[in-house]
Amino acid sequence: MVYNELGLMRHLIQLGHKITHFTACRYDLSYKPYLKRKYINRIDSIEIVNSPSVYDPFCYRVNPRNHCINNMIDDFTRKVIGLVSPDIAHMSDLRMHAASIIDVLYSMGIPMIKTMHNYWDICPKGDLMINDEKLCEDYDNGNSCIRCLSPYTAYKIPFFHRIKGTIPYGRLRPLLKPWRRYKSLVGSREQASMPESMEYSSQAYFNRRKYFIEKLNKCSLIHVSSADVADRFSKYNINKDRIKTISLSVDGLTNIKPKEDYASHYPVVFGYRGEIHRRKGILTLLDAFSRLDQTKAKLIIYGEGERKIFKVYLERGLNIEYRGAYDRKRLNDVLNEIDVGIVPSIWAEIFGIVGLEYINARVPVIASNIGGIGEWLINEKNGLLVDPGDVDELTMAMERFIRDPTLINSFQSRTTRWKSMQTYTGQINKLYESCGVHS
């Protein structure tokens, strides 16, 4: 079995499956692409080092054809299949592989399940957003891709990344702490100050989407996490009969301690945890919070990214604390200090894992009614749904808790814990069985 989600893989092993993790994420000083195999915690890991399908989360300026077809990666895939002879291939993000490996697997008669963790297959940015501001409802046969991607600079693998990929992470980690702190302060890679001429045509992006959809329809099943996301993918001519909806779970949820019943107090502490990025709705949140009585409300922000986008709010003397990144070992402590969690995304979140952690901690949530969020947030039960990007509506939702903090306790009493990773694994295992694969 080939798969690339570590938490699920560990639980599948407990059910008796043998796992090979075929991945590609590292670049080193050798520059030449090669396969590296190692065994970690009973997982057979085979990695394409120096993948010829270059990806950078702040660039996107690569030939869209390379996302589709790469003969070298196809050859690596055939070699891996020859080594492990999988009964089924379970794929998620292919951005450092190539969509053509689906043809390789299909030609060998190997059943395939593809889990959608983003929109990479139909959007070269992966988020279906135009300029991080609004949903891409019509990509205009690839012309919208040109307008959206043109501000980004061309990309080469930084030498630092190659050093990082060469030296064992344990030895390098102390040196990375100042670098991570610097990134959290200055933010993500800057866009070019002046748009460059795009070297790839709108037809190239049109062909990219068409190619990916053709390959997706060769998969045995397409796994999505919510009905909303299923509807979005089905609109792109992906065979509805192949789309199966199973909501996600993650490792560690069972370790989250439920908070004690809330005792009314001021200020009410609102919490944001996640990437500091426009598509996450951080500006909507800051605008809404700035309208609240600052003596009765406090906002704690955890995360890394474009800190500069809310610097102006910090300078206004609002009751905001920016904490940066936090150690996952401190998750219970972090959740315990938040009275109401905020998930203000303006993009169609595939699911919103942060919400599951709030739920298990008995923290009520205010979240955007978009994407997979409505799968876990039941309006007026464990939180409140608001329209994405609507500052007025978000402000009113937050003010409800300020006017009557006892509402927090009310929501706590109606909140039930999310399904465990074991339950989720069992549901995925049934997908395998429907493809004729048994542990």
Side-chain angles (χ1 to χ4, degrees), residues 54-62 124-125 148-156 189-191 198:
V54 176
Y55 164 71
D56 177 74
F58 310 116
C59 167
Y60 318 111
R61 289 289 296 277
V62 296
K125 277 183 67 198
C148 188
L149 300 177
S150 60
Y152 290 91
T153 57
Y155 179 71
K156 293 182 180 178
R189 183 187 307 276
E190 298 285 345
Q191 294 186 6
M198 285 292 285

mmCIF file with all atom_site columns, all heavy atoms in Angstrom, residues 54-62 124-125 148-156 189-191 198:
data_model
loop_
_atom_site.group_PDB
_atom_site.id
_atom_site.type_symbol
_atom_site.label_atom_id
_atom_site.label_alt_id
_atom_site.label_comp_id
_atom_site.label_asym_id
_atom_site.label_entity_id
_atom_site.label_seq_id
_atom_site.pdbx_PDB_ins_code
_atom_site.Cartn_x
_atom_site.Cartn_y
_atom_site.Cartn_z
_atom_site.occupancy
_atom_site.B_iso_or_equiv
_atom_site.pdbx_formal_charge
_atom_site.auth_seq_id
_atom_site.auth_comp_id
_atom_site.auth_asym_id
_atom_site.auth_atom_id
_atom_site.pdbx_PDB_model_num
ATOM 1   N N   . VAL A 1 54  ? 9.437  20.558 -9.158  1.00 0.00 ? 54  VAL A N   1
ATOM 2   C CA  . VAL A 1 54  ? 9.752  21.536 -8.115  1.00 0.00 ? 54  VAL A CA  1
ATOM 3   C C   . VAL A 1 54  ? 8.482  22.233 -7.657  1.00 0.00 ? 54  VAL A C   1
ATOM 4   O O   . VAL A 1 54  ? 7.649  22.657 -8.450  1.00 0.00 ? 54  VAL A O   1
ATOM 5   C CB  . VAL A 1 54  ? 10.758 22.584 -8.642  1.00 0.00 ? 54  VAL A CB  1
ATOM 6   C CG1 . VAL A 1 54  ? 11.001 23.662 -7.592  1.00 0.00 ? 54  VAL A CG1 1
ATOM 7   C CG2 . VAL A 1 54  ? 12.062 21.904 -9.021  1.00 0.00 ? 54  VAL A CG2 1
ATOM 8   N N   . TYR A 1 55  ? 8.360  22.341 -6.357  1.00 0.00 ? 55  TYR A N   1
ATOM 9   C CA  . TYR A 1 55  ? 7.211  23.044 -5.782  1.00 0.00 ? 55  TYR A CA  1
ATOM 10  C C   . TYR A 1 55  ? 7.679  23.956 -4.667  1.00 0.00 ? 55  TYR A C   1
ATOM 11  O O   . TYR A 1 55  ? 8.551  23.608 -3.877  1.00 0.00 ? 55  TYR A O   1
ATOM 12  C CB  . TYR A 1 55  ? 6.190  22.054 -5.207  1.00 0.00 ? 55  TYR A CB  1
ATOM 13  C CG  . TYR A 1 55  ? 5.201  22.721 -4.279  1.00 0.00 ? 55  TYR A CG  1
ATOM 14  C CD1 . TYR A 1 55  ? 4.223  23.566 -4.791  1.00 0.00 ? 55  TYR A CD1 1
ATOM 15  C CD2 . TYR A 1 55  ? 5.270  22.548 -2.909  1.00 0.00 ? 55  TYR A CD2 1
ATOM 16  C CE1 . TYR A 1 55  ? 3.336  24.207 -3.959  1.00 0.00 ? 55  TYR A CE1 1
ATOM 17  C CE2 . TYR A 1 55  ? 4.379  23.182 -2.059  1.00 0.00 ? 55  TYR A CE2 1
ATOM 18  C CZ  . TYR A 1 55  ? 3.406  24.010 -2.593  1.00 0.00 ? 55  TYR A CZ  1
ATOM 19  O OH  . TYR A 1 55  ? 2.537  24.642 -1.754  1.00 0.00 ? 55  TYR A OH  1
ATOM 20  N N   . ASP A 1 56  ? 7.086  25.148 -4.628  1.00 0.00 ? 56  ASP A N   1
ATOM 21  C CA  . ASP A 1 56  ? 7.333  26.058 -3.520  1.00 0.00 ? 56  ASP A CA  1
ATOM 22  C C   . ASP A 1 56  ? 6.018  26.727 -3.156  1.00 0.00 ? 56  ASP A C   1
ATOM 23  O O   . ASP A 1 56  ? 5.312  27.223 -4.028  1.00 0.00 ? 56  ASP A O   1
ATOM 24  C CB  . ASP A 1 56  ? 8.349  27.130 -3.898  1.00 0.00 ? 56  ASP A CB  1
ATOM 25  C CG  . ASP A 1 56  ? 8.550  28.121 -2.758  1.00 0.00 ? 56  ASP A CG  1
ATOM 26  O OD1 . ASP A 1 56  ? 9.204  27.742 -1.785  1.00 0.00 ? 56  ASP A OD1 1
ATOM 27  O OD2 . ASP A 1 56  ? 8.020  29.244 -2.845  1.00 0.00 ? 56  ASP A OD2 1
ATOM 28  N N   . PRO A 1 57  ? 5.631  26.741 -1.872  1.00 0.00 ? 57  PRO A N   1
ATOM 29  C CA  . PRO A 1 57  ? 4.310  27.250 -1.498  1.00 0.00 ? 57  PRO A CA  1
ATOM 30  C C   . PRO A 1 57  ? 4.130  28.743 -1.679  1.00 0.00 ? 57  PRO A C   1
ATOM 31  O O   . PRO A 1 57  ? 3.026  29.245 -1.576  1.00 0.00 ? 57  PRO A O   1
ATOM 32  C CB  . PRO A 1 57  ? 4.203  26.871 -0.015  1.00 0.00 ? 57  PRO A CB  1
ATOM 33  C CG  . PRO A 1 57  ? 5.605  26.716 0.449   1.00 0.00 ? 57  PRO A CG  1
ATOM 34  C CD  . PRO A 1 57  ? 6.357  26.181 -0.729  1.00 0.00 ? 57  PRO A CD  1
ATOM 35  N N   . PHE A 1 58  ? 5.218  29.482 -1.968  1.00 0.00 ? 58  PHE A N   1
ATOM 36  C CA  . PHE A 1 58  ? 5.081  30.914 -2.143  1.00 0.00 ? 58  PHE A CA  1
ATOM 37  C C   . PHE A 1 58  ? 5.488  31.347 -3.551  1.00 0.00 ? 58  PHE A C   1
ATOM 38  O O   . PHE A 1 58  ? 5.840  32.488 -3.786  1.00 0.00 ? 58  PHE A O   1
ATOM 39  C CB  . PHE A 1 58  ? 5.920  31.664 -1.101  1.00 0.00 ? 58  PHE A CB  1
ATOM 40  C CG  . PHE A 1 58  ? 5.671  31.182 0.288   1.00 0.00 ? 58  PHE A CG  1
ATOM 41  C CD1 . PHE A 1 58  ? 6.665  30.572 1.020   1.00 0.00 ? 58  PHE A CD1 1
ATOM 42  C CD2 . PHE A 1 58  ? 4.420  31.322 0.842   1.00 0.00 ? 58  PHE A CD2 1
ATOM 43  C CE1 . PHE A 1 58  ? 6.413  30.124 2.308   1.00 0.00 ? 58  PHE A CE1 1
ATOM 44  C CE2 . PHE A 1 58  ? 4.161  30.870 2.125   1.00 0.00 ? 58  PHE A CE2 1
ATOM 45  C CZ  . PHE A 1 58  ? 5.157  30.274 2.864   1.00 0.00 ? 58  PHE A CZ  1
ATOM 46  N N   . CYS A 1 59  ? 5.449  30.425 -4.487  1.00 0.00 ? 59  CYS A N   1
ATOM 47  C CA  . CYS A 1 59  ? 5.901  30.758 -5.828  1.00 0.00 ? 59  CYS A CA  1
ATOM 48  C C   . CYS A 1 59  ? 4.848  30.462 -6.879  1.00 0.00 ? 59  CYS A C   1
ATOM 49  O O   . CYS A 1 59  ? 4.255  31.350 -7.457  1.00 0.00 ? 59  CYS A O   1
ATOM 50  C CB  . CYS A 1 59  ? 7.192  30.003 -6.134  1.00 0.00 ? 59  CYS A CB  1
ATOM 51  S SG  . CYS A 1 59  ? 7.620  30.045 -7.871  1.00 0.00 ? 59  CYS A SG  1
ATOM 52  N N   . TYR A 1 60  ? 4.647  29.188 -7.158  1.00 0.00 ? 60  TYR A N   1
ATOM 53  C CA  . TYR A 1 60  ? 3.681  28.725 -8.148  1.00 0.00 ? 60  TYR A CA  1
ATOM 54  C C   . TYR A 1 60  ? 4.118  28.995 -9.589  1.00 0.00 ? 60  TYR A C   1
ATOM 55  O O   . TYR A 1 60  ? 3.434  28.597 -10.509 1.00 0.00 ? 60  TYR A O   1
ATOM 56  C CB  . TYR A 1 60  ? 2.290  29.371 -7.933  1.00 0.00 ? 60  TYR A CB  1
ATOM 57  C CG  . TYR A 1 60  ? 1.858  29.450 -6.503  1.00 0.00 ? 60  TYR A CG  1
ATOM 58  C CD1 . TYR A 1 60  ? 1.770  30.668 -5.850  1.00 0.00 ? 60  TYR A CD1 1
ATOM 59  C CD2 . TYR A 1 60  ? 1.556  28.293 -5.797  1.00 0.00 ? 60  TYR A CD2 1
ATOM 60  C CE1 . TYR A 1 60  ? 1.379  30.738 -4.529  1.00 0.00 ? 60  TYR A CE1 1
ATOM 61  C CE2 . TYR A 1 60  ? 1.162  28.352 -4.472  1.00 0.00 ? 60  TYR A CE2 1
ATOM 62  C CZ  . TYR A 1 60  ? 1.078  29.580 -3.839  1.00 0.00 ? 60  TYR A CZ  1
ATOM 63  O OH  . TYR A 1 60  ? 0.701  29.636 -2.533  1.00 0.00 ? 60  TYR A OH  1
ATOM 64  N N   . ARG A 1 61  ? 5.232  29.683 -9.766  1.00 0.00 ? 61  ARG A N   1
ATOM 65  C CA  . ARG A 1 61  ? 5.637  30.038 -11.114 1.00 0.00 ? 61  ARG A CA  1
ATOM 66  C C   . ARG A 1 61  ? 6.495  28.936 -11.726 1.00 0.00 ? 61  ARG A C   1
ATOM 67  O O   . ARG A 1 61  ? 7.693  29.083 -11.942 1.00 0.00 ? 61  ARG A O   1
ATOM 68  C CB  . ARG A 1 61  ? 6.408  31.365 -11.105 1.00 0.00 ? 61  ARG A CB  1
ATOM 69  C CG  . ARG A 1 61  ? 5.541  32.580 -10.823 1.00 0.00 ? 61  ARG A CG  1
ATOM 70  C CD  . ARG A 1 61  ? 4.616  32.904 -11.980 1.00 0.00 ? 61  ARG A CD  1
ATOM 71  N NE  . ARG A 1 61  ? 5.393  33.277 -13.143 1.00 0.00 ? 61  ARG A NE  1
ATOM 72  C CZ  . ARG A 1 61  ? 5.882  34.507 -13.348 1.00 0.00 ? 61  ARG A CZ  1
ATOM 73  N NH1 . ARG A 1 61  ? 5.644  35.468 -12.474 1.00 0.00 ? 61  ARG A NH1 1
ATOM 74  N NH2 . ARG A 1 61  ? 6.579  34.785 -14.414 1.00 0.00 ? 61  ARG A NH2 1
ATOM 75  N N   . VAL A 1 62  ? 5.901  27.794 -11.981 1.00 0.00 ? 62  VAL A N   1
ATOM 76  C CA  . VAL A 1 62  ? 6.562  26.700 -12.670 1.00 0.00 ? 62  VAL A CA  1
ATOM 77  C C   . VAL A 1 62  ? 5.667  26.269 -13.818 1.00 0.00 ? 62  VAL A C   1
ATOM 78  O O   . VAL A 1 62  ? 4.478  26.572 -13.854 1.00 0.00 ? 62  VAL A O   1
ATOM 79  C CB  . VAL A 1 62  ? 6.831  25.504 -11.727 1.00 0.00 ? 62  VAL A CB  1
ATOM 80  C CG1 . VAL A 1 62  ? 7.794  25.885 -10.622 1.00 0.00 ? 62  VAL A CG1 1
ATOM 81  C CG2 . VAL A 1 62  ? 5.534  24.973 -11.127 1.00 0.00 ? 62  VAL A CG2 1
ATOM 82  N N   . PRO A 1 124 ? -3.608 25.608 -9.613  1.00 0.00 ? 124 PRO A N   1
ATOM 83  C CA  . PRO A 1 124 ? -2.157 25.541 -9.386  1.00 0.00 ? 124 PRO A CA  1
ATOM 84  C C   . PRO A 1 124 ? -1.683 26.206 -8.103  1.00 0.00 ? 124 PRO A C   1
ATOM 85  O O   . PRO A 1 124 ? -0.526 26.053 -7.721  1.00 0.00 ? 124 PRO A O   1
ATOM 86  C CB  . PRO A 1 124 ? -1.574 26.247 -10.623 1.00 0.00 ? 124 PRO A CB  1
ATOM 87  C CG  . PRO A 1 124 ? -2.684 27.071 -11.165 1.00 0.00 ? 124 PRO A CG  1
ATOM 88  C CD  . PRO A 1 124 ? -3.955 26.362 -10.816 1.00 0.00 ? 124 PRO A CD  1
ATOM 89  N N   . LYS A 1 125 ? -2.565 26.936 -7.409  1.00 0.00 ? 125 LYS A N   1
ATOM 90  C CA  . LYS A 1 125 ? -2.235 27.450 -6.080  1.00 0.00 ? 125 LYS A CA  1
ATOM 91  C C   . LYS A 1 125 ? -2.762 26.549 -4.984  1.00 0.00 ? 125 LYS A C   1
ATOM 92  O O   . LYS A 1 125 ? -2.350 26.653 -3.831  1.00 0.00 ? 125 LYS A O   1
ATOM 93  C CB  . LYS A 1 125 ? -2.811 28.856 -5.885  1.00 0.00 ? 125 LYS A CB  1
ATOM 94  C CG  . LYS A 1 125 ? -1.929 29.969 -6.462  1.00 0.00 ? 125 LYS A CG  1
ATOM 95  C CD  . LYS A 1 125 ? -2.536 31.324 -6.155  1.00 0.00 ? 125 LYS A CD  1
ATOM 96  C CE  . LYS A 1 125 ? -2.496 31.611 -4.670  1.00 0.00 ? 125 LYS A CE  1
ATOM 97  N NZ  . LYS A 1 125 ? -3.419 32.675 -4.263  1.00 0.00 ? 125 LYS A NZ  1
ATOM 98  N N   . CYS A 1 148 ? -3.805 35.735 -11.664 1.00 0.00 ? 148 CYS A N   1
ATOM 99  C CA  . CYS A 1 148 ? -3.566 35.403 -10.254 1.00 0.00 ? 148 CYS A CA  1
ATOM 100 C C   . CYS A 1 148 ? -2.090 35.125 -9.966  1.00 0.00 ? 148 CYS A C   1
ATOM 101 O O   . CYS A 1 148 ? -1.562 35.513 -8.931  1.00 0.00 ? 148 CYS A O   1
ATOM 102 C CB  . CYS A 1 148 ? -4.411 34.191 -9.882  1.00 0.00 ? 148 CYS A CB  1
ATOM 103 S SG  . CYS A 1 148 ? -4.419 33.792 -8.126  1.00 0.00 ? 148 CYS A SG  1
ATOM 104 N N   . LEU A 1 149 ? -1.416 34.457 -10.903 1.00 0.00 ? 149 LEU A N   1
ATOM 105 C CA  . LEU A 1 149 ? -0.050 33.999 -10.650 1.00 0.00 ? 149 LEU A CA  1
ATOM 106 C C   . LEU A 1 149 ? 1.026  34.968 -11.113 1.00 0.00 ? 149 LEU A C   1
ATOM 107 O O   . LEU A 1 149 ? 2.177  34.861 -10.692 1.00 0.00 ? 149 LEU A O   1
ATOM 108 C CB  . LEU A 1 149 ? 0.176  32.644 -11.327 1.00 0.00 ? 149 LEU A CB  1
ATOM 109 C CG  . LEU A 1 149 ? -0.733 31.494 -10.874 1.00 0.00 ? 149 LEU A CG  1
ATOM 110 C CD1 . LEU A 1 149 ? -0.438 30.245 -11.688 1.00 0.00 ? 149 LEU A CD1 1
ATOM 111 C CD2 . LEU A 1 149 ? -0.576 31.215 -9.400  1.00 0.00 ? 149 LEU A CD2 1
ATOM 112 N N   . SER A 1 150 ? 0.661  35.932 -11.957 1.00 0.00 ? 150 SER A N   1
ATOM 113 C CA  . SER A 1 150 ? 1.682  36.812 -12.535 1.00 0.00 ? 150 SER A CA  1
ATOM 114 C C   . SER A 1 150 ? 2.484  37.618 -11.515 1.00 0.00 ? 150 SER A C   1
ATOM 115 O O   . SER A 1 150 ? 3.662  37.905 -11.765 1.00 0.00 ? 150 SER A O   1
ATOM 116 C CB  . SER A 1 150 ? 1.049  37.755 -13.564 1.00 0.00 ? 150 SER A CB  1
ATOM 117 O OG  . SER A 1 150 ? 0.069  38.565 -12.976 1.00 0.00 ? 150 SER A OG  1
ATOM 118 N N   . PRO A 1 151 ? 1.930  37.999 -10.345 1.00 0.00 ? 151 PRO A N   1
ATOM 119 C CA  . PRO A 1 151 ? 2.760  38.773 -9.408  1.00 0.00 ? 151 PRO A CA  1
ATOM 120 C C   . PRO A 1 151 ? 3.888  37.979 -8.761  1.00 0.00 ? 151 PRO A C   1
ATOM 121 O O   . PRO A 1 151 ? 4.796  38.572 -8.169  1.00 0.00 ? 151 PRO A O   1
ATOM 122 C CB  . PRO A 1 151 ? 1.750  39.228 -8.345  1.00 0.00 ? 151 PRO A CB  1
ATOM 123 C CG  . PRO A 1 151 ? 0.418  39.121 -8.978  1.00 0.00 ? 151 PRO A CG  1
ATOM 124 C CD  . PRO A 1 151 ? 0.532  37.945 -9.896  1.00 0.00 ? 151 PRO A CD  1
ATOM 125 N N   . TYR A 1 152 ? 3.854  36.652 -8.836  1.00 0.00 ? 152 TYR A N   1
ATOM 126 C CA  . TYR A 1 152 ? 4.844  35.863 -8.108  1.00 0.00 ? 152 TYR A CA  1
ATOM 127 C C   . TYR A 1 152 ? 6.146  35.741 -8.875  1.00 0.00 ? 152 TYR A C   1
ATOM 128 O O   . TYR A 1 152 ? 6.175  35.698 -10.101 1.00 0.00 ? 152 TYR A O   1
ATOM 129 C CB  . TYR A 1 152 ? 4.283  34.470 -7.801  1.00 0.00 ? 152 TYR A CB  1
ATOM 130 C CG  . TYR A 1 152 ? 3.184  34.491 -6.786  1.00 0.00 ? 152 TYR A CG  1
ATOM 131 C CD1 . TYR A 1 152 ? 1.846  34.603 -7.182  1.00 0.00 ? 152 TYR A CD1 1
ATOM 132 C CD2 . TYR A 1 152 ? 3.459  34.431 -5.430  1.00 0.00 ? 152 TYR A CD2 1
ATOM 133 C CE1 . TYR A 1 152 ? 0.825  34.640 -6.245  1.00 0.00 ? 152 TYR A CE1 1
ATOM 134 C CE2 . TYR A 1 152 ? 2.443  34.469 -4.485  1.00 0.00 ? 152 TYR A CE2 1
ATOM 135 C CZ  . TYR A 1 152 ? 1.133  34.574 -4.898  1.00 0.00 ? 152 TYR A CZ  1
ATOM 136 O OH  . TYR A 1 152 ? 0.134  34.620 -3.980  1.00 0.00 ? 152 TYR A OH  1
ATOM 137 N N   . THR A 1 153 ? 7.220  35.669 -8.142  1.00 0.00 ? 153 THR A N   1
ATOM 138 C CA  . THR A 1 153 ? 8.536  35.555 -8.752  1.00 0.00 ? 153 THR A CA  1
ATOM 139 C C   . THR A 1 153 ? 8.819  34.123 -9.183  1.00 0.00 ? 153 THR A C   1
ATOM 140 O O   . THR A 1 153 ? 8.232  33.179 -8.665  1.00 0.00 ? 153 THR A O   1
ATOM 141 C CB  . THR A 1 153 ? 9.628  35.983 -7.747  1.00 0.00 ? 153 THR A CB  1
ATOM 142 O OG1 . THR A 1 153 ? 9.517  35.173 -6.579  1.00 0.00 ? 153 THR A OG1 1
ATOM 143 C CG2 . THR A 1 153 ? 9.452  37.438 -7.367  1.00 0.00 ? 153 THR A CG2 1
ATOM 144 N N   . ALA A 1 154 ? 9.745  33.986 -10.130 1.00 0.00 ? 154 ALA A N   1
ATOM 145 C CA  . ALA A 1 154 ? 10.202 32.658 -10.513 1.00 0.00 ? 154 ALA A CA  1
ATOM 146 C C   . ALA A 1 154 ? 10.958 32.048 -9.335  1.00 0.00 ? 154 ALA A C   1
ATOM 147 O O   . ALA A 1 154 ? 11.446 32.753 -8.455  1.00 0.00 ? 154 ALA A O   1
ATOM 148 C CB  . ALA A 1 154 ? 11.083 32.735 -11.744 1.00 0.00 ? 154 ALA A CB  1
ATOM 149 N N   . TYR A 1 155 ? 11.095 30.724 -9.337  1.00 0.00 ? 155 TYR A N   1
ATOM 150 C CA  . TYR A 1 155 ? 11.591 30.055 -8.139  1.00 0.00 ? 155 TYR A CA  1
ATOM 151 C C   . TYR A 1 155 ? 12.735 29.093 -8.427  1.00 0.00 ? 155 TYR A C   1
ATOM 152 O O   . TYR A 1 155 ? 12.727 28.376 -9.413  1.00 0.00 ? 155 TYR A O   1
ATOM 153 C CB  . TYR A 1 155 ? 10.437 29.285 -7.486  1.00 0.00 ? 155 TYR A CB  1
ATOM 154 C CG  . TYR A 1 155 ? 10.843 28.536 -6.239  1.00 0.00 ? 155 TYR A CG  1
ATOM 155 C CD1 . TYR A 1 155 ? 11.147 29.225 -5.077  1.00 0.00 ? 155 TYR A CD1 1
ATOM 156 C CD2 . TYR A 1 155 ? 10.921 27.150 -6.230  1.00 0.00 ? 155 TYR A CD2 1
ATOM 157 C CE1 . TYR A 1 155 ? 11.515 28.551 -3.926  1.00 0.00 ? 155 TYR A CE1 1
ATOM 158 C CE2 . TYR A 1 155 ? 11.296 26.469 -5.083  1.00 0.00 ? 155 TYR A CE2 1
ATOM 159 C CZ  . TYR A 1 155 ? 11.583 27.169 -3.943  1.00 0.00 ? 155 TYR A CZ  1
ATOM 160 O OH  . TYR A 1 155 ? 11.957 26.502 -2.805  1.00 0.00 ? 155 TYR A OH  1
ATOM 161 N N   . LYS A 1 156 ? 13.705 29.102 -7.527  1.00 0.00 ? 156 LYS A N   1
ATOM 162 C CA  . LYS A 1 156 ? 14.767 28.099 -7.521  1.00 0.00 ? 156 LYS A CA  1
ATOM 163 C C   . LYS A 1 156 ? 14.913 27.611 -6.083  1.00 0.00 ? 156 LYS A C   1
ATOM 164 O O   . LYS A 1 156 ? 14.676 28.367 -5.135  1.00 0.00 ? 156 LYS A O   1
ATOM 165 C CB  . LYS A 1 156 ? 16.087 28.693 -8.024  1.00 0.00 ? 156 LYS A CB  1
ATOM 166 C CG  . LYS A 1 156 ? 16.069 29.086 -9.497  1.00 0.00 ? 156 LYS A CG  1
ATOM 167 C CD  . LYS A 1 156 ? 17.427 29.619 -9.932  1.00 0.00 ? 156 LYS A CD  1
ATOM 168 C CE  . LYS A 1 156 ? 17.408 30.004 -11.413 1.00 0.00 ? 156 LYS A CE  1
ATOM 169 N NZ  . LYS A 1 156 ? 18.716 30.559 -11.841 1.00 0.00 ? 156 LYS A NZ  1
ATOM 170 N N   . ARG A 1 189 ? 7.348  34.525 1.856   1.00 0.00 ? 189 ARG A N   1
ATOM 171 C CA  . ARG A 1 189 ? 8.075  35.054 0.707   1.00 0.00 ? 189 ARG A CA  1
ATOM 172 C C   . ARG A 1 189 ? 7.299  36.212 0.087   1.00 0.00 ? 189 ARG A C   1
ATOM 173 O O   . ARG A 1 189 ? 6.108  36.142 -0.144  1.00 0.00 ? 189 ARG A O   1
ATOM 174 C CB  . ARG A 1 189 ? 8.282  33.951 -0.328  1.00 0.00 ? 189 ARG A CB  1
ATOM 175 C CG  . ARG A 1 189 ? 9.083  34.402 -1.527  1.00 0.00 ? 189 ARG A CG  1
ATOM 176 C CD  . ARG A 1 189 ? 9.097  33.305 -2.578  1.00 0.00 ? 189 ARG A CD  1
ATOM 177 N NE  . ARG A 1 189 ? 9.550  32.063 -1.997  1.00 0.00 ? 189 ARG A NE  1
ATOM 178 C CZ  . ARG A 1 189 ? 10.821 31.742 -1.845  1.00 0.00 ? 189 ARG A CZ  1
ATOM 179 N NH1 . ARG A 1 189 ? 11.756 32.559 -2.199  1.00 0.00 ? 189 ARG A NH1 1
ATOM 180 N NH2 . ARG A 1 189 ? 11.140 30.586 -1.297  1.00 0.00 ? 189 ARG A NH2 1
ATOM 181 N N   . GLU A 1 190 ? 7.972  37.309 -0.188  1.00 0.00 ? 190 GLU A N   1
ATOM 182 C CA  . GLU A 1 190 ? 7.323  38.461 -0.784  1.00 0.00 ? 190 GLU A CA  1
ATOM 183 C C   . GLU A 1 190 ? 6.956  38.204 -2.234  1.00 0.00 ? 190 GLU A C   1
ATOM 184 O O   . GLU A 1 190 ? 7.666  37.506 -2.952  1.00 0.00 ? 190 GLU A O   1
ATOM 185 C CB  . GLU A 1 190 ? 8.258  39.682 -0.721  1.00 0.00 ? 190 GLU A CB  1
ATOM 186 C CG  . GLU A 1 190 ? 8.617  40.112 0.694   1.00 0.00 ? 190 GLU A CG  1
ATOM 187 C CD  . GLU A 1 190 ? 7.474  40.820 1.378   1.00 0.00 ? 190 GLU A CD  1
ATOM 188 O OE1 . GLU A 1 190 ? 6.534  41.228 0.678   1.00 0.00 ? 190 GLU A OE1 1
ATOM 189 O OE2 . GLU A 1 190 ? 7.505  40.931 2.611   1.00 0.00 ? 190 GLU A OE2 1
ATOM 190 N N   . GLN A 1 191 ? 5.859  38.794 -2.675  1.00 0.00 ? 191 GLN A N   1
ATOM 191 C CA  . GLN A 1 191 ? 5.549  38.792 -4.092  1.00 0.00 ? 191 GLN A CA  1
ATOM 192 C C   . GLN A 1 191 ? 6.422  39.837 -4.780  1.00 0.00 ? 191 GLN A C   1
ATOM 193 O O   . GLN A 1 191 ? 6.941  40.763 -4.161  1.00 0.00 ? 191 GLN A O   1
ATOM 194 C CB  . GLN A 1 191 ? 4.074  39.118 -4.316  1.00 0.00 ? 191 GLN A CB  1
ATOM 195 C CG  . GLN A 1 191 ? 3.131  38.054 -3.792  1.00 0.00 ? 191 GLN A CG  1
ATOM 196 C CD  . GLN A 1 191 ? 1.697  38.350 -4.164  1.00 0.00 ? 191 GLN A CD  1
ATOM 197 O OE1 . GLN A 1 191 ? 1.418  39.277 -4.898  1.00 0.00 ? 191 GLN A OE1 1
ATOM 198 N NE2 . GLN A 1 191 ? 0.790  37.543 -3.656  1.00 0.00 ? 191 GLN A NE2 1
ATOM 199 N N   . MET A 1 198 ? 4.129  36.632 -17.867 1.00 0.00 ? 198 MET A N   1
ATOM 200 C CA  . MET A 1 198 ? 3.971  35.195 -17.644 1.00 0.00 ? 198 MET A CA  1
ATOM 201 C C   . MET A 1 198 ? 4.496  34.430 -18.842 1.00 0.00 ? 198 MET A C   1
ATOM 202 O O   . MET A 1 198 ? 4.145  34.720 -19.985 1.00 0.00 ? 198 MET A O   1
ATOM 203 C CB  . MET A 1 198 ? 2.505  34.861 -17.416 1.00 0.00 ? 198 MET A CB  1
ATOM 204 C CG  . MET A 1 198 ? 1.998  35.263 -16.043 1.00 0.00 ? 198 MET A CG  1
ATOM 205 S SD  . MET A 1 198 ? 2.718  34.294 -14.718 1.00 0.00 ? 198 MET A SD  1
ATOM 206 C CE  . MET A 1 198 ? 1.840  32.753 -14.902 1.00 0.00 ? 198 MET A CE  1
#
